[in-house]
Amino acid sequence: MRLAFMGTPDFAVPALYALRDAGHEIAAVYTQPPRPAGRGKALRLSPVHHAAETLGILVRCPEKLRNNQEELDWFAAQKFDVAIVAAYGLILPKAMLDAPERGCLNIHASLLPRWRGASPIQSAILAGDTESGVTIMQMDVGLDTGDMLSSVGVPITAVTTATSLHDELAALGAKMVVDVLRECPQAIPQPEEGVTYAARLTKEDGRIDWTQPAETIDRQVRALTPWPGAFTTLDDVTLKIGAVEIEAKRSSTPGTVLDDRLTVACGEDTALRICRIQRPGRGMMDAEAFLRGQPMTVGTRLGS
């Protein structure tokens, strides 16, 4: 098939390669424009942009699609059989959705209709879901409301992180979209019940509230690492928390350091041990190494 591919982050890259390897003609790749990044603010290509250039595929980076008639005309003139969309980052106007013969298909990282929206992977872990997955959806003008062509689930365990789930779903979505293009399954409307929305994350979502139970904080750390990152404060210094382990129940004021292993009291008489931690200007490190450079006495209060 002659297709357009529309994606931006790492999540979309496996699908781009899978479609190429399956023999499809990827006539154009749409991705977000290069953005300033790093201390030098040099322009950085998106992961999809870099992959497309490696494959020698034409790349288009419009700043916007709405009210961009020149881009819409170009897209329509290509006579694509289908467009594949994976975390592109721009809303597609109806004219673009309707232009390819088979429309636009979206690789969405949840079991729709649960977790429509911007952060389905993190939201599933935060909520304590026991299952996530990928849905291949026929796109319409709504927010992830289109009919479903394929849906496959994967378990979320007590050690699942946003990184591990992201990588698993990216690989799964790549395989599924190739299968959908080959098999042409019948589209099924999404159920009307069970709809939830995954809001766009902010850095403040990573702030740890030590009055929450240890289980809730553990999910927060696993869901929000590496971005926006779970964090706490100590004397106005921000400390990022990269990994924790739930400990036996302990009764103390939430946020209090309980021992020399960096066990911290949480809400509802629970506790967790900080396993990975990062001070400003340093890399993430094991708690043992952190404490050698910055001892933390029993009774220290975090988050105050």
Side-chain angles (χ1 to χ4, degrees):
M1 290 185 183
R2 176 178 169 83
L3 58 85
F5 186 86
M6 314 178 87
T8 296
D10 288 316
F11 177 81
V13 172
L16 176 62
Y17 277 98
L19 291 163
R20 189 282 308 265
D21 292 344
H24 295 287
E25 177 194 357
I26 306 174
V29 163
Y30 277 75
T31 191
Q32 291 282 305
R35 306 292 189 196
R39 292 183 178 179
K41 299 301 181 183
L43 292 179
R44 180 178 298 175
L45 303 182
S46 75
V48 166
H49 193 149
H50 180 76
E53 286 197 347
T54 300
L55 296 173
I57 302 171
L58 172 69
V59 178
R60 297 182 71 86
C61 303
E63 289 282 353
K64 64 176 185 177
L65 295 175
R66 286 181 173 176
N67 302 317
N68 186 347
Q69 194 60 48
E70 181 180 355
E71 192 63 47
L72 297 179
D73 289 344
W74 186 91
F75 187 84
Q78 302 311 302
K79 304 298 183 183
F80 294 118
D81 294 310
V82 67
I84 304 300
V85 183
Y88 175 33
L90 290 181
I91 295 175
L92 274 59
K94 189 175 188 303
M96 185 169 275
L97 293 171
D98 294 341
E101 182 178 348
R102 292 183 59 181
C104 299
L105 309 186
N106 180 243
I107 305 171
H108 187 75
S110 81
L111 297 176
L112 291 170
R114 187 157 178 80
W115 303 127
R116 296 172 178 172
S119 58
I121 292 174
Q122 297 90 341
S123 295
I125 297 173
L126 281 169
D129 291 0
T130 59
E131 187 178 33
S132 181
V134 171
T135 303
I136 308 297
M137 174 188 64
Q138 186 80 48
M139 295 178 69
D140 60 18
V141 294
L143 177 62
D144 300 326
T145 56
D147 292 349
M148 301 182 297
L149 295 161
S150 180
S151 185
V152 176
V154 300
I156 296 177
T157 73
V159 296
T160 297
T161 65
T163 297
S164 66
L165 185 56
H166 168 282
D167 293 351
E168 184 175 9
L169 297 186
L172 176 61
K175 178 183 182 301
M176 288 172 62
V177 75
V178 171
D179 291 344
V180 163
L181 291 182
R182 183 182 65 252
E183 298 168 4
C184 300
Q186 182 178 356
I188 301 172
Q190 293 186 36
E192 295 183 1
E193 66 279 357
V195 175
T196 56
Y197 289 92
R200 191 172 299 278
L201 296 171
T202 68
K203 289 186 178 180
E204 190 61 23
D205 290 318
R207 184 182 296 276
I208 294 173
D209 176 3
W210 293 104
T211 66
Q212 294 295 309
E215 183 179 80
T216 299
I217 298 172
D218 169 63
R219 293 200 304 264
Q220 181 183 14
V221 173
R222 289 188 289 113
L224 302 185
T225 300
W227 197 91
F231 68 92
T232 190
T233 55
L234 175 62
D235 297 330
D236 295 325
V237 175
T238 298
L239 301 172
K240 287 189 175 182
I241 309 299
V244 298
E245 288 183 356
I246 297 175
E247 294 285 320
K249 288 204 170 189
R250 305 276 288 274
S251 179
S252 187
T253 302
T256 302
V257 175
L258 299 174
D259 57 26
D260 60 3
R261 299 174 63 245
L262 213 46
T263 302
V264 183
C266 305
E268 300 183 10
D269 293 334
T270 61
L272 56 74
R273 183 170 67 86
I274 298 174
C275 303
R276 300 273 292 167
I277 188 169
Q278 179 182 2
R279 64 168 66 96
R282 302 291 296 274
M284 189 69 68
M285 63 183 70
D286 292 339
E288 182 179 353
F290 174 87
L291 290 172
R292 285 199 295 268
Q294 184 174 326
M296 201 174 293
T297 59
V298 173
T300 298
R301 287 284 302 280
L302 298 177
S304 58

